[in-house]
Amino acid sequence: MSESHKAKVQAQFGGIAEAYVTSAGHAGGEDLNRLIQWGRARGAARVLDIATGGGHTARAFAAFTPLVVATDLTPPMLTAARKFIAGQGIAGVQFVAADVDALPFRDETFGVVTCRIAAHHFPELLPALRQVARVLRRGGSFLVQDILGHEDDAAAAFLLEVERRRDPSHVRAFRALEWTAFLRAVGLTVIDEAVMEKIRPWEEWTGRTRMTPEGRAALDRFVLEAPAPCRAAYRFEIDGERIVSFTDRMLLLRADKD
């Protein structure tokens, strides 16, 4: 990860780590349940959770995995995740500050690698996936969830601008075919997949990143003035001049190492 983008990510998330611990959208749901289902079936002794954020995925996998290693680029995120998981009375999770492009682990160390709602922050997807494939044991599984890129170029560009105004460290969301191609390029084969929806309450979603009042007002105007088909693509709910929510689609994949 480039030093400039790394600094942008750390600046964005360093001061809002607790907000991700308390985020309902990250804490659970059918999306996390699906990853857990896939993970239980794999029965790995060691799991690596990349870009752990508030630690919810690491916590969930620690319930049935002897050792979970949680990494994140931003030290305050690791501190918040460690506090959260310790407060749940859960042992067996280790925390390591690490860049996804340079994971500090030996080859073929983990039976499962997880990455949940984080890959859209990676400046390039392929270098990160090469690291995932390197540390994953043969026959092991990469369980990933991220925002699904829209097939319509105009709709995709619209939400990309929304995301970047809210969070400058956002890079892009990939389409399913792009994910499959990148995974195949590093020796990972998609075995299972699912698409799930997540409703984003606007106040909570924008508030979590602590936007300035001016930035929030400009973002609201941008959405309200956008072409109706772009808003419809994400089912924006608007009450008068107030944005209530929109709906993201999440792509979940299980990809096994050949």
Side-chain angles (χ1 to χ4, degrees), residues 99-150:
D99 185 339
V100 68
D101 289 351
L103 295 174
F105 308 109
R106 295 178 180 174
D107 295 357
E108 301 191 12
T109 300
F110 301 94
V112 165
V113 176
T114 61
C115 182
R116 182 166 174 258
I117 322 179
H120 55 277
H121 295 291
F122 301 163
E124 294 183 77
L125 190 55
L126 196 56
L129 295 183
R130 288 196 185 104
Q131 286 291 297
V132 169
R134 180 183 66 79
V135 302
L136 193 60
R137 298 180 63 178
R138 293 198 176 275
S141 293
F142 178 42
L143 310 181
V144 61
Q145 172 187 348
D146 203 31
I147 304 165
L148 178 60
H150 206 285

mmCIF file of all heavy atoms in Angstrom, residues 99-150:
data_model
loop_
_atom_site.group_PDB
_atom_site.id
_atom_site.type_symbol
_atom_site.label_atom_id
_atom_site.label_comp_id
_atom_site.label_asym_id
_atom_site.label_seq_id
_atom_site.Cartn_x
_atom_site.Cartn_y
_atom_site.Cartn_z
ATOM 1 N N ASP A 99 0.108 -4.164 7.172
ATOM 2 C CA ASP A 99 -0.368 -3.693 5.884
ATOM 3 C C ASP A 99 -0.767 -4.930 5.074
ATOM 4 O O ASP A 99 -0.010 -5.901 4.996
ATOM 5 C CB ASP A 99 0.772 -2.948 5.188
ATOM 6 C CG ASP A 99 0.375 -2.301 3.876
ATOM 7 O OD1 ASP A 99 -0.628 -2.731 3.283
ATOM 8 O OD2 ASP A 99 1.094 -1.375 3.444
ATOM 9 N N VAL A 100 -1.926 -4.907 4.469
ATOM 10 C CA VAL A 100 -2.400 -6.062 3.715
ATOM 11 C C VAL A 100 -1.469 -6.400 2.556
ATOM 12 O O VAL A 100 -1.423 -7.556 2.111
ATOM 13 C CB VAL A 100 -3.836 -5.818 3.203
ATOM 14 C CG1 VAL A 100 -3.867 -4.729 2.145
ATOM 15 C CG2 VAL A 100 -4.461 -7.106 2.684
ATOM 16 N N ASP A 101 -0.715 -5.434 2.077
ATOM 17 C CA ASP A 101 0.211 -5.684 0.977
ATOM 18 C C ASP A 101 1.518 -6.319 1.424
ATOM 19 O O ASP A 101 2.347 -6.698 0.580
ATOM 20 C CB ASP A 101 0.537 -4.378 0.243
ATOM 21 C CG ASP A 101 -0.644 -3.852 -0.559
ATOM 22 O OD1 ASP A 101 -1.646 -4.581 -0.684
ATOM 23 O OD2 ASP A 101 -0.561 -2.724 -1.060
ATOM 24 N N ALA A 102 1.724 -6.435 2.740
ATOM 25 C CA ALA A 102 2.980 -6.994 3.259
ATOM 26 C C ALA A 102 2.699 -7.716 4.577
ATOM 27 O O ALA A 102 3.193 -7.324 5.635
ATOM 28 C CB ALA A 102 4.011 -5.888 3.445
ATOM 29 N N LEU A 103 1.918 -8.772 4.505
ATOM 30 C CA LEU A 103 1.536 -9.489 5.721
ATOM 31 C C LEU A 103 2.760 -10.166 6.349
ATOM 32 O O LEU A 103 3.497 -10.875 5.658
ATOM 33 C CB LEU A 103 0.466 -10.536 5.403
ATOM 34 C CG LEU A 103 -0.877 -9.984 4.917
ATOM 35 C CD1 LEU A 103 -1.793 -11.119 4.487
ATOM 36 C CD2 LEU A 103 -1.545 -9.154 6.015
ATOM 37 N N PRO A 104 2.983 -9.975 7.658
ATOM 38 C CA PRO A 104 4.195 -10.481 8.310
ATOM 39 C C PRO A 104 4.052 -11.929 8.797
ATOM 40 O O PRO A 104 4.333 -12.236 9.958
ATOM 41 C CB PRO A 104 4.356 -9.511 9.487
ATOM 42 C CG PRO A 104 2.945 -9.184 9.878
ATOM 43 C CD PRO A 104 2.171 -9.146 8.575
ATOM 44 N N PHE A 105 3.625 -12.811 7.911
ATOM 45 C CA PHE A 105 3.425 -14.215 8.275
ATOM 46 C C PHE A 105 4.082 -15.111 7.229
ATOM 47 O O PHE A 105 4.216 -14.737 6.069
ATOM 48 C CB PHE A 105 1.925 -14.535 8.358
ATOM 49 C CG PHE A 105 1.142 -13.599 9.224
ATOM 50 C CD1 PHE A 105 0.257 -12.684 8.665
ATOM 51 C CD2 PHE A 105 1.318 -13.602 10.605
ATOM 52 C CE1 PHE A 105 -0.455 -11.806 9.452
ATOM 53 C CE2 PHE A 105 0.617 -12.713 11.410
ATOM 54 C CZ PHE A 105 -0.268 -11.815 10.839
ATOM 55 N N ARG A 106 4.471 -16.303 7.674
ATOM 56 C CA ARG A 106 5.097 -17.254 6.761
ATOM 57 C C ARG A 106 4.080 -17.787 5.754
ATOM 58 O O ARG A 106 2.877 -17.727 5.973
ATOM 59 C CB ARG A 106 5.697 -18.423 7.564
ATOM 60 C CG ARG A 106 6.846 -18.013 8.477
ATOM 61 C CD ARG A 106 7.336 -19.208 9.263
ATOM 62 N NE ARG A 106 8.444 -18.848 10.147
ATOM 63 C CZ ARG A 106 8.995 -19.675 11.026
ATOM 64 N NH1 ARG A 106 8.514 -20.914 11.147
ATOM 65 N NH2 ARG A 106 9.990 -19.270 11.793
ATOM 66 N N ASP A 107 4.603 -18.333 4.692
ATOM 67 C CA ASP A 107 3.758 -18.947 3.675
ATOM 68 C C ASP A 107 2.923 -20.078 4.281
ATOM 69 O O ASP A 107 3.397 -20.813 5.152
ATOM 70 C CB ASP A 107 4.607 -19.523 2.543
ATOM 71 C CG ASP A 107 5.367 -18.461 1.764
ATOM 72 O OD1 ASP A 107 5.191 -17.268 2.074
ATOM 73 O OD2 ASP A 107 6.123 -18.834 0.859
ATOM 74 N N GLU A 108 1.702 -20.202 3.809
ATOM 75 C CA GLU A 108 0.806 -21.310 4.162
ATOM 76 C C GLU A 108 0.657 -21.490 5.678
ATOM 77 O O GLU A 108 0.751 -22.587 6.214
ATOM 78 C CB GLU A 108 1.277 -22.605 3.499
ATOM 79 C CG GLU A 108 1.329 -22.484 1.978
ATOM 80 C CD GLU A 108 1.533 -23.815 1.275
ATOM 81 O OE1 GLU A 108 1.404 -24.874 1.919
ATOM 82 O OE2 GLU A 108 1.826 -23.787 0.071
ATOM 83 N N THR A 109 0.363 -20.388 6.354
ATOM 84 C CA THR A 109 0.224 -20.381 7.812
ATOM 85 C C THR A 109 -1.208 -20.624 8.275
ATOM 86 O O THR A 109 -1.426 -21.196 9.338
ATOM 87 C CB THR A 109 0.720 -19.032 8.379
ATOM 88 O OG1 THR A 109 2.092 -18.857 8.018
ATOM 89 C CG2 THR A 109 0.592 -18.977 9.891
ATOM 90 N N PHE A 110 -2.193 -20.204 7.471
ATOM 91 C CA PHE A 110 -3.582 -20.190 7.931
ATOM 92 C C PHE A 110 -4.469 -21.087 7.067
ATOM 93 O O PHE A 110 -4.322 -21.138 5.846
ATOM 94 C CB PHE A 110 -4.130 -18.762 7.928
ATOM 95 C CG PHE A 110 -3.365 -17.819 8.802
ATOM 96 C CD1 PHE A 110 -2.346 -17.031 8.277
ATOM 97 C CD2 PHE A 110 -3.640 -17.737 10.162
ATOM 98 C CE1 PHE A 110 -1.624 -16.162 9.083
ATOM 99 C CE2 PHE A 110 -2.931 -16.874 10.980
ATOM 100 C CZ PHE A 110 -1.910 -16.085 10.444
ATOM 101 N N GLY A 111 -5.428 -21.744 7.734
ATOM 102 C CA GLY A 111 -6.401 -22.559 7.015
ATOM 103 C C GLY A 111 -7.532 -21.746 6.443
ATOM 104 O O GLY A 111 -8.183 -22.155 5.471
ATOM 105 N N VAL A 112 -7.810 -20.582 7.038
ATOM 106 C CA VAL A 112 -8.840 -19.657 6.558
ATOM 107 C C VAL A 112 -8.318 -18.234 6.709
ATOM 108 O O VAL A 112 -7.688 -17.898 7.723
ATOM 109 C CB VAL A 112 -10.171 -19.829 7.331
ATOM 110 C CG1 VAL A 112 -11.105 -18.637 7.102
ATOM 111 C CG2 VAL A 112 -10.873 -21.126 6.923
ATOM 112 N N VAL A 113 -8.581 -17.413 5.722
ATOM 113 C CA VAL A 113 -8.339 -15.974 5.805
ATOM 114 C C VAL A 113 -9.674 -15.277 5.565
ATOM 115 O O VAL A 113 -10.403 -15.632 4.637
ATOM 116 C CB VAL A 113 -7.307 -15.495 4.768
ATOM 117 C CG1 VAL A 113 -7.151 -13.978 4.827
ATOM 118 C CG2 VAL A 113 -5.964 -16.185 4.988
ATOM 119 N N THR A 114 -10.006 -14.317 6.406
ATOM 120 C CA THR A 114 -11.244 -13.556 6.258
ATOM 121 C C THR A 114 -10.929 -12.084 6.013
ATOM 122 O O THR A 114 -9.901 -11.569 6.457
ATOM 123 C CB THR A 114 -12.146 -13.677 7.498
ATOM 124 O OG1 THR A 114 -11.440 -13.157 8.642
ATOM 125 C CG2 THR A 114 -12.523 -15.124 7.773
ATOM 126 N N CYS A 115 -11.833 -11.424 5.302
ATOM 127 C CA CYS A 115 -11.728 -9.982 5.076
ATOM 128 C C CYS A 115 -13.134 -9.473 4.828
ATOM 129 O O CYS A 115 -13.753 -9.798 3.812
ATOM 130 C CB CYS A 115 -10.823 -9.687 3.887
ATOM 131 S SG CYS A 115 -10.593 -7.920 3.565
ATOM 132 N N ARG A 116 -13.655 -8.668 5.739
ATOM 133 C CA ARG A 116 -15.064 -8.284 5.688
ATOM 134 C C ARG A 116 -15.231 -6.769 5.604
ATOM 135 O O ARG A 116 -14.778 -6.034 6.486
ATOM 136 C CB ARG A 116 -15.785 -8.849 6.918
ATOM 137 C CG ARG A 116 -17.275 -8.559 6.971
ATOM 138 C CD ARG A 116 -17.977 -9.427 8.019
ATOM 139 N NE ARG A 116 -19.378 -9.041 8.145
ATOM 140 C CZ ARG A 116 -19.861 -8.287 9.129
ATOM 141 N NH1 ARG A 116 -19.060 -7.830 10.092
ATOM 142 N NH2 ARG A 116 -21.139 -7.974 9.158
ATOM 143 N N ILE A 117 -15.850 -6.330 4.550
ATOM 144 C CA ILE A 117 -16.214 -4.922 4.297
ATOM 145 C C ILE A 117 -14.995 -4.007 4.437
ATOM 146 O O ILE A 117 -15.014 -3.009 5.154
ATOM 147 C CB ILE A 117 -17.349 -4.448 5.230
ATOM 148 C CG1 ILE A 117 -18.394 -5.549 5.466
ATOM 149 C CG2 ILE A 117 -18.055 -3.236 4.611
ATOM 150 C CD1 ILE A 117 -19.531 -5.152 6.396
ATOM 151 N N ALA A 118 -13.915 -4.384 3.746
ATOM 152 C CA ALA A 118 -12.678 -3.606 3.848
ATOM 153 C C ALA A 118 -11.949 -3.444 2.530
ATOM 154 O O ALA A 118 -11.216 -2.472 2.351
ATOM 155 C CB ALA A 118 -11.737 -4.270 4.861
ATOM 156 N N ALA A 119 -12.134 -4.362 1.585
ATOM 157 C CA ALA A 119 -11.304 -4.367 0.379
ATOM 158 C C ALA A 119 -11.486 -3.120 -0.474
ATOM 159 O O ALA A 119 -10.595 -2.777 -1.262
ATOM 160 C CB ALA A 119 -11.593 -5.617 -0.448
ATOM 161 N N HIS A 120 -12.618 -2.416 -0.320
ATOM 162 C CA HIS A 120 -12.811 -1.193 -1.104
ATOM 163 C C HIS A 120 -11.857 -0.074 -0.676
ATOM 164 O O HIS A 120 -11.798 0.964 -1.324
ATOM 165 C CB HIS A 120 -14.265 -0.709 -1.026
ATOM 166 C CG HIS A 120 -14.768 -0.510 0.361
ATOM 167 N ND1 HIS A 120 -15.264 -1.531 1.133
ATOM 168 C CD2 HIS A 120 -14.848 0.601 1.129
ATOM 169 C CE1 HIS A 120 -15.645 -1.057 2.306
ATOM 170 N NE2 HIS A 120 -15.396 0.241 2.331
ATOM 171 N N HIS A 121 -11.114 -0.293 0.408
ATOM 172 C CA HIS A 121 -10.103 0.671 0.834
ATOM 173 C C HIS A 121 -8.719 0.357 0.277
ATOM 174 O O HIS A 121 -7.816 1.185 0.391
ATOM 175 C CB HIS A 121 -10.006 0.709 2.364
ATOM 176 C CG HIS A 121 -11.237 1.210 3.035
ATOM 177 N ND1 HIS A 121 -11.660 2.518 2.947
ATOM 178 C CD2 HIS A 121 -12.160 0.577 3.802
ATOM 179 C CE1 HIS A 121 -12.785 2.666 3.634
ATOM 180 N NE2 HIS A 121 -13.101 1.504 4.159
ATOM 181 N N PHE A 122 -8.534 -0.841 -0.311
ATOM 182 C CA PHE A 122 -7.219 -1.224 -0.811
ATOM 183 C C PHE A 122 -6.935 -0.464 -2.109
ATOM 184 O O PHE A 122 -7.754 -0.471 -3.024
ATOM 185 C CB PHE A 122 -7.153 -2.725 -1.085
ATOM 186 C CG PHE A 122 -7.439 -3.602 0.108
ATOM 187 C CD1 PHE A 122 -7.746 -4.938 -0.063
ATOM 188 C CD2 PHE A 122 -7.388 -3.095 1.400
ATOM 189 C CE1 PHE A 122 -8.000 -5.764 1.024
ATOM 190 C CE2 PHE A 122 -7.648 -3.897 2.502
ATOM 191 C CZ PHE A 122 -7.955 -5.241 2.309
ATOM 192 N N PRO A 123 -5.774 0.197 -2.210
ATOM 193 C CA PRO A 123 -5.472 0.954 -3.432
ATOM 194 C C PRO A 123 -5.414 0.074 -4.667
ATOM 195 O O PRO A 123 -5.748 0.495 -5.773
ATOM 196 C CB PRO A 123 -4.134 1.619 -3.131
ATOM 197 C CG PRO A 123 -3.548 0.827 -2.019
ATOM 198 C CD PRO A 123 -4.693 0.312 -1.218
ATOM 199 N N GLU A 124 -4.945 -1.169 -4.496
ATOM 200 C CA GLU A 124 -4.947 -2.159 -5.563
ATOM 201 C C GLU A 124 -5.363 -3.495 -4.954
ATOM 202 O O GLU A 124 -4.881 -3.870 -3.891
ATOM 203 C CB GLU A 124 -3.581 -2.284 -6.218
ATOM 204 C CG GLU A 124 -3.105 -1.056 -6.971
ATOM 205 C CD GLU A 124 -1.777 -1.299 -7.642
ATOM 206 O OE1 GLU A 124 -1.761 -1.969 -8.696
ATOM 207 O OE2 GLU A 124 -0.760 -0.834 -7.103
ATOM 208 N N LEU A 125 -6.223 -4.206 -5.647
ATOM 209 C CA LEU A 125 -6.721 -5.462 -5.098
ATOM 210 C C LEU A 125 -5.746 -6.614 -5.293
ATOM 211 O O LEU A 125 -5.571 -7.446 -4.405
ATOM 212 C CB LEU A 125 -8.067 -5.803 -5.745
ATOM 213 C CG LEU A 125 -8.859 -6.957 -5.135
ATOM 214 C CD1 LEU A 125 -9.092 -6.755 -3.644
ATOM 215 C CD2 LEU A 125 -10.180 -7.136 -5.865
ATOM 216 N N LEU A 126 -5.088 -6.674 -6.452
ATOM 217 C CA LEU A 126 -4.252 -7.829 -6.772
ATOM 218 C C LEU A 126 -3.088 -8.039 -5.796
ATOM 219 O O LEU A 126 -2.862 -9.179 -5.355
ATOM 220 C CB LEU A 126 -3.738 -7.716 -8.210
ATOM 221 C CG LEU A 126 -3.166 -8.995 -8.828
ATOM 222 C CD1 LEU A 126 -4.191 -10.133 -8.780
ATOM 223 C CD2 LEU A 126 -2.731 -8.727 -10.263
ATOM 224 N N PRO A 127 -2.324 -7.000 -5.403
ATOM 225 C CA PRO A 127 -1.239 -7.240 -4.437
ATOM 226 C C PRO A 127 -1.746 -7.788 -3.104
ATOM 227 O O PRO A 127 -1.092 -8.642 -2.490
ATOM 228 C CB PRO A 127 -0.614 -5.852 -4.258
ATOM 229 C CG PRO A 127 -0.948 -5.130 -5.522
ATOM 230 C CD PRO A 127 -2.314 -5.611 -5.897
ATOM 231 N N ALA A 128 -2.897 -7.307 -2.659
ATOM 232 C CA ALA A 128 -3.464 -7.820 -1.410
ATOM 233 C C ALA A 128 -3.844 -9.289 -1.553
ATOM 234 O O ALA A 128 -3.591 -10.112 -0.653
ATOM 235 C CB ALA A 128 -4.686 -6.994 -1.006
ATOM 236 N N LEU A 129 -4.452 -9.636 -2.686
ATOM 237 C CA LEU A 129 -4.856 -11.036 -2.884
ATOM 238 C C LEU A 129 -3.655 -11.955 -3.022
ATOM 239 O O LEU A 129 -3.719 -13.124 -2.624
ATOM 240 C CB LEU A 129 -5.764 -11.145 -4.109
ATOM 241 C CG LEU A 129 -7.118 -10.440 -3.996
ATOM 242 C CD1 LEU A 129 -7.951 -10.694 -5.252
ATOM 243 C CD2 LEU A 129 -7.877 -10.900 -2.755
ATOM 244 N N ARG A 130 -2.569 -11.460 -3.571
ATOM 245 C CA ARG A 130 -1.345 -12.274 -3.621
ATOM 246 C C ARG A 130 -0.871 -12.618 -2.220
ATOM 247 O O ARG A 130 -0.421 -13.743 -1.954
ATOM 248 C CB ARG A 130 -0.241 -11.527 -4.384
ATOM 249 C CG ARG A 130 -0.459 -11.444 -5.884
ATOM 250 C CD ARG A 130 0.836 -11.061 -6.582
ATOM 251 N NE ARG A 130 0.623 -10.852 -8.012
ATOM 252 C CZ ARG A 130 0.569 -9.661 -8.594
ATOM 253 N NH1 ARG A 130 0.700 -8.549 -7.856
ATOM 254 N NH2 ARG A 130 0.378 -9.551 -9.897
ATOM 255 N N GLN A 131 -0.969 -11.655 -1.307
ATOM 256 C CA GLN A 131 -0.585 -11.913 0.079
ATOM 257 C C GLN A 131 -1.530 -12.920 0.740
ATOM 258 O O GLN A 131 -1.095 -13.813 1.479
ATOM 259 C CB GLN A 131 -0.572 -10.601 0.859
ATOM 260 C CG GLN A 131 0.597 -9.702 0.549
ATOM 261 C CD GLN A 131 1.906 -10.283 1.052
ATOM 262 O OE1 GLN A 131 2.103 -10.473 2.248
ATOM 263 N NE2 GLN A 131 2.797 -10.602 0.135
ATOM 264 N N VAL A 132 -2.817 -12.776 0.469
ATOM 265 C CA VAL A 132 -3.786 -13.738 1.003
ATOM 266 C C VAL A 132 -3.446 -15.138 0.533
ATOM 267 O O VAL A 132 -3.388 -16.093 1.323
ATOM 268 C CB VAL A 132 -5.220 -13.369 0.567
ATOM 269 C CG1 VAL A 132 -6.196 -14.502 0.881
ATOM 270 C CG2 VAL A 132 -5.668 -12.086 1.254
ATOM 271 N N ALA A 133 -3.206 -15.291 -0.764
ATOM 272 C CA ALA A 133 -2.895 -16.610 -1.316
ATOM 273 C C ALA A 133 -1.594 -17.159 -0.745
ATOM 274 O O ALA A 133 -1.467 -18.373 -0.516
ATOM 275 C CB ALA A 133 -2.816 -16.524 -2.841
ATOM 276 N N ARG A 134 -0.634 -16.299 -0.498
ATOM 277 C CA ARG A 134 0.658 -16.746 0.035
ATOM 278 C C ARG A 134 0.527 -17.330 1.431
ATOM 279 O O ARG A 134 1.101 -18.382 1.739
ATOM 280 C CB ARG A 134 1.653 -15.569 0.040
ATOM 281 C CG ARG A 134 3.030 -15.933 0.568
ATOM 282 C CD ARG A 134 3.948 -14.722 0.630
ATOM 283 N NE ARG A 134 3.497 -13.737 1.609
ATOM 284 C CZ ARG A 134 3.691 -13.840 2.929
ATOM 285 N NH1 ARG A 134 4.271 -14.905 3.457
ATOM 286 N NH2 ARG A 134 3.272 -12.878 3.730
ATOM 287 N N VAL A 135 -0.225 -16.660 2.308
ATOM 288 C CA VAL A 135 -0.298 -17.107 3.703
ATOM 289 C C VAL A 135 -1.350 -18.199 3.913
ATOM 290 O O VAL A 135 -1.424 -18.793 4.985
ATOM 291 C CB VAL A 135 -0.574 -15.933 4.667
ATOM 292 C CG1 VAL A 135 0.507 -14.868 4.528
ATOM 293 C CG2 VAL A 135 -1.960 -15.336 4.446
ATOM 294 N N LEU A 136 -2.145 -18.473 2.886
ATOM 295 C CA LEU A 136 -3.205 -19.475 2.989
ATOM 296 C C LEU A 136 -2.650 -20.853 2.654
ATOM 297 O O LEU A 136 -1.901 -21.024 1.687
ATOM 298 C CB LEU A 136 -4.330 -19.114 2.011
ATOM 299 C CG LEU A 136 -5.676 -19.827 2.126
ATOM 300 C CD1 LEU A 136 -6.307 -19.602 3.494
ATOM 301 C CD2 LEU A 136 -6.609 -19.321 1.025
ATOM 302 N N ARG A 137 -3.031 -21.842 3.445
ATOM 303 C CA ARG A 137 -2.597 -23.217 3.191
ATOM 304 C C ARG A 137 -3.290 -23.768 1.953
ATOM 305 O O ARG A 137 -4.395 -23.340 1.609
ATOM 306 C CB ARG A 137 -2.911 -24.109 4.398
ATOM 307 C CG ARG A 137 -2.192 -23.699 5.674
ATOM 308 C CD ARG A 137 -2.539 -24.622 6.817
ATOM 309 N NE ARG A 137 -2.083 -25.987 6.546
ATOM 310 C CZ ARG A 137 -2.219 -27.001 7.411
ATOM 311 N NH1 ARG A 137 -2.819 -26.790 8.573
ATOM 312 N NH2 ARG A 137 -1.773 -28.196 7.100
ATOM 313 N N ARG A 138 -2.674 -24.724 1.287
ATOM 314 C CA ARG A 138 -3.312 -25.369 0.136
ATOM 315 C C ARG A 138 -4.581 -26.065 0.601
ATOM 316 O O ARG A 138 -4.591 -26.750 1.612
ATOM 317 C CB ARG A 138 -2.363 -26.359 -0.529
ATOM 318 C CG ARG A 138 -1.179 -25.688 -1.181
ATOM 319 C CD ARG A 138 -0.468 -26.577 -2.189
ATOM 320 N NE ARG A 138 0.590 -25.823 -2.843
ATOM 321 C CZ ARG A 138 0.434 -25.052 -3.896
ATOM 322 N NH1 ARG A 138 -0.781 -24.916 -4.413
ATOM 323 N NH2 ARG A 138 1.436 -24.409 -4.434
ATOM 324 N N GLY A 139 -5.654 -25.833 -0.144
ATOM 325 C CA GLY A 139 -6.937 -26.367 0.258
ATOM 326 C C GLY A 139 -7.681 -25.477 1.225
ATOM 327 O O GLY A 139 -8.839 -25.746 1.557
ATOM 328 N N GLY A 140 -7.031 -24.396 1.675
ATOM 329 C CA GLY A 140 -7.667 -23.464 2.596
ATOM 330 C C GLY A 140 -8.610 -22.521 1.878
ATOM 331 O O GLY A 140 -8.675 -22.486 0.645
ATOM 332 N N SER A 141 -9.342 -21.716 2.649
ATOM 333 C CA SER A 141 -10.392 -20.864 2.086
ATOM 334 C C SER A 141 -10.174 -19.395 2.435
ATOM 335 O O SER A 141 -9.834 -19.063 3.581
ATOM 336 C CB SER A 141 -11.771 -21.283 2.605
ATOM 337 O OG SER A 141 -12.127 -22.561 2.127
ATOM 338 N N PHE A 142 -10.401 -18.555 1.455
ATOM 339 C CA PHE A 142 -10.480 -17.114 1.658
ATOM 340 C C PHE A 142 -11.957 -16.750 1.676
ATOM 341 O O PHE A 142 -12.686 -17.004 0.714
ATOM 342 C CB PHE A 142 -9.753 -16.392 0.522
ATOM 343 C CG PHE A 142 -9.801 -14.894 0.599
ATOM 344 C CD1 PHE A 142 -9.628 -14.227 1.807
ATOM 345 C CD2 PHE A 142 -9.990 -14.137 -0.560
ATOM 346 C CE1 PHE A 142 -9.651 -12.832 1.866
ATOM 347 C CE2 PHE A 142 -10.015 -12.755 -0.512
ATOM 348 C CZ PHE A 142 -9.846 -12.100 0.699
ATOM 349 N N LEU A 143 -12.414 -16.170 2.771
ATOM 350 C CA LEU A 143 -13.811 -15.777 2.943
ATOM 351 C C LEU A 143 -13.851 -14.254 2.948
ATOM 352 O O LEU A 143 -13.367 -13.614 3.879
ATOM 353 C CB LEU A 143 -14.377 -16.331 4.252
ATOM 354 C CG LEU A 143 -14.160 -17.835 4.500
ATOM 355 C CD1 LEU A 143 -14.793 -18.242 5.824
ATOM 356 C CD2 LEU A 143 -14.729 -18.663 3.355
ATOM 357 N N VAL A 144 -14.438 -13.688 1.904
ATOM 358 C CA VAL A 144 -14.383 -12.240 1.736
ATOM 359 C C VAL A 144 -15.781 -11.681 1.511
ATOM 360 O O VAL A 144 -16.622 -12.306 0.873
ATOM 361 C CB VAL A 144 -13.443 -11.860 0.563
ATOM 362 C CG1 VAL A 144 -13.920 -12.448 -0.748
ATOM 363 C CG2 VAL A 144 -13.279 -10.343 0.449
ATOM 364 N N GLN A 145 -15.989 -10.510 2.061
ATOM 365 C CA GLN A 145 -17.231 -9.765 1.843
ATOM 366 C C GLN A 145 -16.864 -8.327 1.558
ATOM 367 O O GLN A 145 -16.035 -7.726 2.245
ATOM 368 C CB GLN A 145 -18.131 -9.809 3.085
ATOM 369 C CG GLN A 145 -19.349 -8.888 3.001
ATOM 370 C CD GLN A 145 -20.135 -8.826 4.290
ATOM 371 O OE1 GLN A 145 -19.921 -9.623 5.191
ATOM 372 N NE2 GLN A 145 -21.042 -7.883 4.395
ATOM 373 N N ASP A 146 -17.496 -7.764 0.524
ATOM 374 C CA ASP A 146 -17.272 -6.343 0.262
ATOM 375 C C ASP A 146 -18.445 -5.783 -0.536
ATOM 376 O O ASP A 146 -19.299 -6.535 -1.034
ATOM 377 C CB ASP A 146 -15.958 -6.116 -0.480
ATOM 378 C CG ASP A 146 -15.438 -4.693 -0.277
ATOM 379 O OD1 ASP A 146 -15.689 -4.120 0.804
ATOM 380 O OD2 ASP A 146 -14.790 -4.144 -1.179
ATOM 381 N N ILE A 147 -18.456 -4.472 -0.663
ATOM 382 C CA ILE A 147 -19.477 -3.794 -1.452
ATOM 383 C C ILE A 147 -19.404 -4.306 -2.886
ATOM 384 O O ILE A 147 -18.320 -4.401 -3.474
ATOM 385 C CB ILE A 147 -19.252 -2.276 -1.425
ATOM 386 C CG1 ILE A 147 -19.229 -1.743 0.017
ATOM 387 C CG2 ILE A 147 -20.309 -1.560 -2.243
ATOM 388 C CD1 ILE A 147 -18.664 -0.340 0.128
ATOM 389 N N LEU A 148 -20.535 -4.638 -3.456
ATOM 390 C CA LEU A 148 -20.584 -5.124 -4.827
ATOM 391 C C LEU A 148 -20.691 -3.952 -5.795
ATOM 392 O O LEU A 148 -21.610 -3.131 -5.702
ATOM 393 C CB LEU A 148 -21.779 -6.059 -5.003
ATOM 394 C CG LEU A 148 -22.017 -6.625 -6.402
ATOM 395 C CD1 LEU A 148 -20.812 -7.435 -6.875
ATOM 396 C CD2 LEU A 148 -23.280 -7.476 -6.425
ATOM 397 N N GLY A 149 -19.750 -3.874 -6.723
ATOM 398 C CA GLY A 149 -19.799 -2.817 -7.727
ATOM 399 C C GLY A 149 -20.986 -2.983 -8.658
ATOM 400 O O GLY A 149 -21.352 -4.103 -9.024
ATOM 401 N N HIS A 150 -21.590 -1.864 -9.035
ATOM 402 C CA HIS A 150 -22.776 -1.908 -9.884
ATOM 403 C C HIS A 150 -22.380 -2.126 -11.339
ATOM 404 O O HIS A 150 -21.354 -1.625 -11.797
ATOM 405 C CB HIS A 150 -23.567 -0.607 -9.753
ATOM 406 C CG HIS A 150 -25.012 -0.758 -10.053
ATOM 407 N ND1 HIS A 150 -25.498 -0.900 -11.341
ATOM 408 C CD2 HIS A 150 -26.108 -0.815 -9.244
ATOM 409 C CE1 HIS A 150 -26.808 -1.026 -11.304
ATOM 410 N NE2 HIS A 150 -27.207 -0.980 -10.049
#
